[in-house]
């Protein structure tokens, strides 16, 4: 009896351990790898803190399993790469040195004021070496590629970068000095990381230069501020002239990046990266960005436009496609660099683009509108669904909405991918799960955040299956298009012809079905296998007749 009780207790303990393991070991390594699923069409990547890619446990395992393009979120920005202290020290040394003439002294000080010094990059280089070591153990098709983000940005760039003498309180440097600093900084960065050209494949050269609401370069006066715009502002100009004049630093950045990439033999794509928030109007920023990039593209200095890809299930896919077509005019390739798809937004019934609160400028297009208010109910294209709670993202209603939107979106992505003759080369997601991401608690990723209902972090949502199912749908559609639609029924046996037509009919029905789980994905592959099998087994009548026996003879 004691043995039976002990045995029963042992079973209970084992079952309990299994239950606990399921709740804590949330990453699902048995699921198809996202980058492997899409490897014939584009890279699937992650946008995450640098240390996370090699973090022990679920985080590192998940990132390495699903993503082949890795982009550290912050560690390649000027906050990390630029050394204010060393730059200032070099400047002060020039000021205090002995010279034979005043002209020589001024020339040395001026040169030091234009020359940028880098900080230690030991951690970044260790990361790149770790990627190299990982790649040494992987097949060629599985080697990780690193996308570097970003050389110039209005944020995470020390104020000292913009001041004379790299001081904390000096005057802001002149545009002429800043253009040389851009050249000096990019040269130093590219020289520093050139030894890792086997690992790095792409650089964001400039990030988020255009103000969302004005369509001009961000400056210190408008809603979205920037020291770049502070220095390069041209309030004496208007319209396209102003945009062109103020974006001279962006043209310089791409010019320098191309120059040093060529000199150093670096086959790195050069990217302009920016976002469109779904709850804001895409204009005037969208048109202004294309105008800004056109001369850079015509000069041959930009390869890629990076869409951050901040989408929402309420966003019109037609609006996105229109934007894609506009941006395709000024680049050779497209990347989605920090993508997510929010579930918490709905179209705002009170949105009025002509409202006095929605227009940033008055009718003259120059004078700021004193009544402008981006948070006014008439100013927002979308609003958060009333009562929204983060846990709602795990509910079937919102999971299905996200799954359906992403399925339709990925139909477009695959159709326009480099693997299918298009321009899209990367889809990189931001974050790990719905609570570990930039737009946290909005249901924006393909992986759940833990909730009180027993759902766990990292568990795949319906949208994950819809996304990988889009590839299965695409290939089934191509198979149907290339398969013969009319079979010579006199040539083949009736049974084999019927089997083939039934397989085609079933496949067309499957194409119209939404996918929310692995069974749905497998159903598509099975439909494809049935067509292939039926086509390969069409039985020639003459061959079949040989099997008919009369009086025991063929």
């Amino acid at each position: 009896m004691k043995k039976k009780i002990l045995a029963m207790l042992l079973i209970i303990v084992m079952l309990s351990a299994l239950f606990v393991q399921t709740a804590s070991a949330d990453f699902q390594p048995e699921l198809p790898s996202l980058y492997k699923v899409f490897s014939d069409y584009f890279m699937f990547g992650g946008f995450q803190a640098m240390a996370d890619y090699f973090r022990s446990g679920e985080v590192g395992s998940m990132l390495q399993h699903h993503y082949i393009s890795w982009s550290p979120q912050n560690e390649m920005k000027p906050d990390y790469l630029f050394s204010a202290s060393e730059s200032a020290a070099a400047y002060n040394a020039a000021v205090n040195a002995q010279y034979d003439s005043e002209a020589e002294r001024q020339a040395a000080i001026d040169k030091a004021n234009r020359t940028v010094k880098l900080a230690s990059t030991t951690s970044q280089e260790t990361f790149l070496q770790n990627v190299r070591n990982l790649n040494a153990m992987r097949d060629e098709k599985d080697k990780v590629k690193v996308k570097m983000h970003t050389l110039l940005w209005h944020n995470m760039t020390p104020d000292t970068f913009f001041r004379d003498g790299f001081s904390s309180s000096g005057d802001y440097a002149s545009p002429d000095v800043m253009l040389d600093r851009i050249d000096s900084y990019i040269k130093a960065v590219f020289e520093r990381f050139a030894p890792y050209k086997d690992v790095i494949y792409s650089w964001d050269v400039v990030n988020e230069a255009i103000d969302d609401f004005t369509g001009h370069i961000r400056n210190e006066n408008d809603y979205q501020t920037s020291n770049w715009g502070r220095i390069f502002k041209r309030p004496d100009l208007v319209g396209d002239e102003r945009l062109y004049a103020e974006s001279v630093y962006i043209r310089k950045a791409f010019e320098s990046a191309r120059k040093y990439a060529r000199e150093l033999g670096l086959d790195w794509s050069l990217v302009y990266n920016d976002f469109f928030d779904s709850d804001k109007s895409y204009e005037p920023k969208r048109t202004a960005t294309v105008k800004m990039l056109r001369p850079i593209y015509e000069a041959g200095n930009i390869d890629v436009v990076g869409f951050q890809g901040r989408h929402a299930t309420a966003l019109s896919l037609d609006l996105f496609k229109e934007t894609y077509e506009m941006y395709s005019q000024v680049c050779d390739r497209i990347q989605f660099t920090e993508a997510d798809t929010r579930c918490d937004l709905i179209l705002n019934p009170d949105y009025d683009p002509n409202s006095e609160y929605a227009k940033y400028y008055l009718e003259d297009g120059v004078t700021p509108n004193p009544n402008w208010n981006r948070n006014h109910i008439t100013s927002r294209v979308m609003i958060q669904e009333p009562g929204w709670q983060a846990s709602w993202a795990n509910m079937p209603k919102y999971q299905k909405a996200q799954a359906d939107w992403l399925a339709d979106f990925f139909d477009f992505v695959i159709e326009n991918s480099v693997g299918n003759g298009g321009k899209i080369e990367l889809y990189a997601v931001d974050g790990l799960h719905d609570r570990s991401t930039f737009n946290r608690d909005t249901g924006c990723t393909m992986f759940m955040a833990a909730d009180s209902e027993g759902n766990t972090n990292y568990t795949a949502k319906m949208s994950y299956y819809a996304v990988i199912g889009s590839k299965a749908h695409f290939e089934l559609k191509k198979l149907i298009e290339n398969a013969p639609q009319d079979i010579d029924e006199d040539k083949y046996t009736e049974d084999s012809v019927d089997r083939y037509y039934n397989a085609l009919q079933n496949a067309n029905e499957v194409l119209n079905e939404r996918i929310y789980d692995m069974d749905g994905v497998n159903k598509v592959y099975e439909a494809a296998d049935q067509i292939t099998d039926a086509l390969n087994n069409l039985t020639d009548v003459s061959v079949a007749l040989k099997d008919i026996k009369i009086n025991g003879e063929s």
Side-chain angles (χ1 to χ4, degrees):
M1 184 65 181
K2 288 182 179 180
K3 289 184 178 180
K4 287 185 178 181
I5 293 174
L6 288 172
M8 291 175 66
L9 287 172
L10 180 60
I11 291 173
I12 292 171
V13 169
M14 291 174 64
L15 288 173
S16 299
L18 287 172
F19 177 78
V20 171
Q21 184 180 18
T22 302
S24 60
D26 314 318
F27 164 55
Q28 300 165 279
E30 74 278 4
L31 293 180
S33 160
L34 286 165
Y35 86 77
K36 290 181 180 179
V37 168
F38 292 101
S39 61
D40 290 337
Y41 300 98
F42 56 87
M43 291 180 287
F44 217 107
F47 183 74
Q48 191 65 27
M50 187 172 72
D52 285 346
Y53 293 101
F54 289 101
R55 191 178 299 280
S56 61
E58 293 174 335
V59 172
S61 297
M62 181 182 181
L63 291 170
Q64 292 188 25
H65 178 72
H66 281 304
Y67 309 129
I68 198 169
S69 171
W70 295 358
S71 184
Q73 291 172 326
N74 294 315
E75 293 82 1
M76 308 301 173
K77 292 172 180 172
D79 253 0
Y80 289 81
L81 301 188
F82 164 66
S83 175
S85 60
E86 290 193 28
S87 299
Y91 175 83
N92 291 330
V95 170
N96 296 321
Q98 299 297 314
Y99 301 95
D100 294 333
S101 68
E102 182 61 22
E104 182 183 0
R105 179 176 184 274
Q106 291 301 325
I109 293 173
D110 184 59
K111 181 179 179 181
N113 197 34
R114 297 169 185 266
T115 304
V116 174
K117 302 295 183 181
L118 297 187
S120 169
T121 53
T122 299
S123 62
Q124 291 89 343
E125 293 183 68
T126 298
F127 165 74
L128 293 169
Q129 184 59 52
N130 287 338
V131 173
R132 181 180 284 160
N133 295 340
L134 176 66
N135 284 345
M137 298 183 290
R138 289 188 166 197
D139 292 338
E140 190 64 35
K141 66 182 185 333
D142 297 316
K143 292 185 185 301
V144 171
K145 301 172 180 63
V146 177
K147 174 179 165 62
M148 306 286 264
H149 173 80
T150 173
L151 290 170
L152 301 190
W153 192 27
H154 64 273
N155 200 359
M156 295 191 72
T157 304
D159 188 62
T160 52
F161 190 93
F162 300 94
R163 293 185 182 269
D164 278 331
F166 303 99
S167 69
S168 59
S169 58
D171 292 337
Y172 283 102
S174 69
D176 181 61
V177 166
M178 288 307 301
L179 290 177
D180 279 348
R181 284 188 186 177
I182 288 171
D183 188 78
S184 170
Y185 179 67
I186 292 175
K187 180 177 186 290
V189 170
F190 276 23
E191 286 176 342
R192 179 72 59 87
F193 291 103
Y196 303 95
K197 62 184 179 181
D198 58 316
V199 174
I200 300 167
Y201 78 98
S202 186
W203 269 94
D204 287 342
V205 178
V206 178
N207 189 48
E208 300 174 2
I210 301 285
D211 184 288
D212 287 2
F213 305 101
T214 69
H216 293 303
I217 297 296
R218 294 171 182 245
N219 59 59
E220 83 276 24
N221 294 322
D222 290 330
Y223 182 77
Q224 295 178 322
T225 60
S226 168
N227 276 332
W228 291 108
R230 178 196 300 273
I231 291 172
F232 289 95
K233 65 183 177 183
R234 289 293 303 275
D236 55 311
L237 302 174
V238 296
D240 291 352
E241 278 189 290
R242 176 183 169 186
L243 177 65
Y244 183 81
E246 292 183 344
S247 60
V248 61
Y249 82 92
I250 298 169
R251 294 193 296 280
K252 179 64 175 180
F254 277 95
E255 176 189 312
S256 296
R258 181 67 80 206
K259 176 176 67 174
Y260 293 119
R262 285 172 174 164
E263 287 183 7
L264 296 166
L266 307 174
D267 187 23
W268 295 343
S269 65
L270 305 179
V271 186
Y272 176 75
N273 190 58
D274 213 328
F275 67 90
F276 288 103
D277 287 332
S278 295
D279 61 344
K280 303 173 190 169
S281 172
Y282 276 26
E283 294 292 358
K285 179 179 180 178
R286 182 175 65 171
T287 296
T289 302
V290 173
K291 289 179 179 178
M292 179 188 74
L293 294 178
R294 191 173 299 282
I296 302 172
Y297 182 59
E298 291 174 349
N301 291 332
I302 185 173
D303 302 304
V304 179
V305 168
F307 286 83
Q308 289 184 19
R310 303 292 184 180
H311 296 140
T313 56
L315 177 70
S316 165
L317 273 174
D318 289 337
L319 177 62
F320 160 73
K321 292 175 183 178
E322 183 182 87
T323 306
Y324 174 90
E325 294 302 328
M326 290 175 65
Y327 276 35
S328 292
Q329 300 171 20
V330 290
C331 65
D332 295 326
R333 296 188 297 284
I334 296 284
Q335 297 175 354
F336 295 94
T337 58
E338 308 171 31
D340 58 24
T341 305
R342 295 176 63 166
C343 297
D344 65 320
L345 297 178
I346 60 174
L347 291 175
N348 178 13
D350 297 308
Y351 172 62
D352 179 6
N354 296 313
S355 161
E356 64 174 310
Y357 304 102
K359 293 182 176 181
Y360 191 86
Y361 291 116
L362 297 178
E363 293 303 319
D364 62 7
V366 177
T367 308
N369 173 14
N371 294 322
W372 177 79
N373 181 355
R374 66 157 295 188
N375 294 315
H376 192 271
I377 188 63
T378 61
S379 298
R380 302 188 73 88
V381 177
M382 297 182 192
I383 56 174
Q384 191 170 66
E385 182 168 338
W388 171 263
Q389 298 176 35
S391 61
W392 290 8
N394 292 340
M395 295 169 59
K397 171 186 173 180
Y398 298 99
Q399 284 203 55
K400 286 183 178 180
Q402 186 189 50
D404 293 348
W405 195 94
L406 279 171
D408 295 339
F409 175 78
F410 269 84
D411 286 347
F412 181 87
V413 170
I414 299 172
E415 186 70 40
N416 291 277
S417 67
V418 290
N420 196 48
K423 291 192 173 187
I424 298 173
E425 67 174 4
L426 170 69
Y427 185 86
V429 298
D430 179 20
L432 297 167
H433 56 72
D434 281 349
R435 192 153 295 134
S436 178
T437 186
F438 179 77
N439 282 319
R440 61 176 297 168
D441 294 337
T442 64
C444 64
T445 78
M446 291 184 286
F447 298 96
M448 291 183 183
D451 62 19
S452 60
E453 300 300 316
N455 294 307
T456 58
N457 292 331
Y458 309 105
T459 300
K461 293 159 65 176
M462 294 180 187
S463 54
Y464 164 85
Y465 300 102
V467 165
I468 65 171
S470 66
K471 183 244 190 179
H473 266 160
F474 178 80
E475 293 185 344
L476 178 59
K477 181 180 177 182
K478 291 295 183 184
L479 178 62
I480 293 171
E481 289 174 355
N482 294 323
Q485 301 301 306
D486 294 308
I487 299 295
D488 185 349
E489 298 184 14
D490 293 330
K491 183 177 179 180
Y492 300 104
T493 63
E494 182 178 353
D495 284 347
S496 66
V497 169
D498 286 346
R499 187 163 56 249
Y500 176 70
Y501 283 138
N502 287 336
L504 278 181
Q505 180 180 348
N506 175 65
N508 279 296
E509 291 173 356
V510 167
L511 279 180
N512 292 319
E513 296 177 6
R514 291 294 194 180
I515 295 174
Y516 302 117
D517 53 30
M518 202 65 213
D519 287 343
V521 177
N522 290 332
K523 188 175 181 180
V524 180
Y525 286 122
E526 289 166 3
D529 289 342
Q530 288 172 6
I531 292 177
T532 302
D533 182 65
L535 190 60
N536 291 335
N537 287 284
L538 284 171
T539 306
D540 193 297
V541 172
S542 62
V543 174
L545 286 173
K546 294 179 180 178
D547 294 329
I548 298 176
K549 295 185 178 182
I550 302 175
N551 295 328
E553 296 181 2
S554 298

